[in-house]
Amino acid sequence: MAVKGAPTWGYAKTPCSHPGISDLGSTRSGLAFNLSFRKWECCCLGVASAQRAITPVEDEKPNLTGAESSGAIQRIEDNESRGFHKDMNLLPKPLTANDLSSPRDGSKVRVAYQGLPGAYSEDAALKAYPKCETVPCDQFEAAFKAVELWLVDKAVLPIENSVGGSIHRNYDLLLRHRLHIVGEVQLQVNHCLLGLPGVTKEELKRVLSHPQALAQCEMTLSSLGIVRINADDSALAAQMVASTGLRNTGAVASARAAKIYGLDILAEKIQDDDDNITRFLILAREPIIPGTDRPYKTSVVFTLEEGPGVLFKALAVFALRGINLTKIESRPQRQRPLRVVDDSNEGSAKYFDYLFYIDFEASMAEPRAQYALGHLQEFARFLRVLGSYPMDTIP
Ligand SMILES: O=C(O)C(=O)C[C@]1(C(=O)O)C=C[C@@H](O)C=C1
């Protein structure tokens, strides 16, 4: 494995180029000294596991002159004759910076999603981490818990659709669990009408799918005059059609689900709006450190005191700093859904009490975002930052 910053060091060059390396042959405890990380890397290279710690790729091998090369080889042979070559194989392989950083394709990441294989939520997980291991969960809450219990690294959950609107359940769960939003995925959702092999769409009497998916295909399904039946997710609907073997029952699901469950695609892109986009959130146990290197979004949730113009004031903290809001959602407060307010003239009145969820286009690394939330805190009864994460701009 090649190490950043180390390639120029090739394994034979190291012992002669670093001061103190010559001692290493006789004192492996040199590792316990107060060595810098670079020196520590050198020690490991020089003493023991040069070949195993770093296997330089072909073009990173040092181009040694004859004299350098014979000197280096001599030192290695000296070490080996003193018996160090045996230790080389026994010593643990030192960790490198590459070992510690997660690969960008997510090949070591386990991602929970709600639904069965072939669900759109799995597509979203694979869009975010193309080589991840996807872990199906029966309910949204199971995906939250899987992250909290360290069964998986991340969860990918739908939060809103461009046609169907918000997925309220996930807004409520965001507050009930203490996970952090570390990313978002915008997914183009192309629904297909699926049926058993050889069936025509005219034969269908009913169709199964997730309620959001059925709602997104309202016009097509109405024109076919088919009865709609809710399922937990679109892939489960496809699986049910395949397993029941009913020729008059179809499913609204993805082309990938058709392949997985051996169904025919009777019609493609049956959603009412061509631009049918679902936005998913990526949740993790730890927040990411926000940057300013690319466009970021921040999600917050807060409650306000009762009174004229309080929501106006809350929104003004962003407008005053030129911060664009991309989403506002209000949900009833489960702990205190109703608030009784005593008015001396009118008697007591009951008001609904709300949580406000806001997404805004700025990173928490930007002072204007910090000032805006500091300002909001002055009159919000409760405020929580759910996450500050890179925006997904390409559906
Ligand atoms: O049923 C699925 O396949 C899902 O992933 C669920 C879901 C949703 O919850 O909105 C996800 C994306 C589509 O908008 C339709 C359904």
Side-chain angles (χ1 to χ4, degrees), residues 119-121 158 161 167 210 212-213 216 233-234 278 280:
Y120 295 105
S121 300
N161 172 268
I167 289 132
H210 187 279
Q212 277 269 351
Q216 291 157 24
D233 66 280
S234 61
T278 301
F280 294 80

Side-chain angles (χ1 to χ4, degrees), residues 131-315:
K131 291 201 175 150
C132 72
E133 184 188 338
T134 51
V135 180
C137 295
D138 65 347
Q139 299 293 330
F140 292 138
E141 185 143 34
F144 276 84
K145 285 187 177 161
V147 182
E148 284 170 337
L149 297 172
W150 291 71
L151 297 173
V152 295
D153 305 295
K154 309 245 160 49
V156 170
L157 295 159
I159 197 74
E160 61 174 329
N161 172 268
S162 53
V163 176
S166 295
I167 289 132
H168 295 132
R169 175 88 182 130
N170 281 335
Y171 274 102
D172 298 344
L173 289 171
L174 273 177
L175 198 66
R176 257 196 272 158
H177 294 265
R178 298 215 65 92
L179 296 182
H180 302 267
I181 306 174
V182 297
E184 67 171 358
V185 180
Q186 309 239 34
L187 187 80
Q188 168 72 45
V189 175
N190 288 325
H191 291 300
C192 301
L193 185 61
L194 310 182
L196 287 175
V199 162
T200 61
K201 58 183 179 201
E202 289 70 32
E203 285 177 69
L204 297 181
K205 294 269 178 296
R206 54 179 172 255
V207 69
L208 311 176
S209 199
H210 187 279
Q212 277 269 351
L214 294 173
Q216 291 157 24
C217 306
E218 177 68 34
M219 289 190 305
T220 316
L221 297 177
S222 297
S223 69
L224 288 170
I226 312 180
V227 174
R228 283 148 251 190
I229 300 171
N230 290 348
D232 277 355
D233 66 280
S234 61
L236 174 69
Q239 193 214 43
M240 284 163 77
V241 171
S243 61
T244 54
L246 294 172
R247 291 183 63 81
N248 64 2
T249 307
V252 172
S254 66
R256 207 162 61 83
K259 211 167 166 192
I260 294 174
Y261 300 104
L263 297 176
D264 274 2
I265 298 177
L266 313 184
E268 277 181 289
K269 289 198 174 180
I270 61 163
Q271 65 271 14
D272 298 343
D273 193 337
D274 272 354
D275 285 334
N276 184 32
I277 290 163
T278 301
R279 192 165 74 90
F280 294 80
L281 298 178
I282 308 173
L283 305 176
R285 285 178 294 277
E286 297 296 333
I288 54 161
I289 298 169
T292 49
D293 51 318
R294 50 199 280 199
Y296 269 69
K297 217 183 238 185
T298 300
S299 300
V300 296
V301 54
F302 58 88
T303 57
L304 297 168
E305 292 297 345
E306 186 54 44
V310 278
L311 182 58
F312 174 81
K313 283 188 210 157
L315 300 183

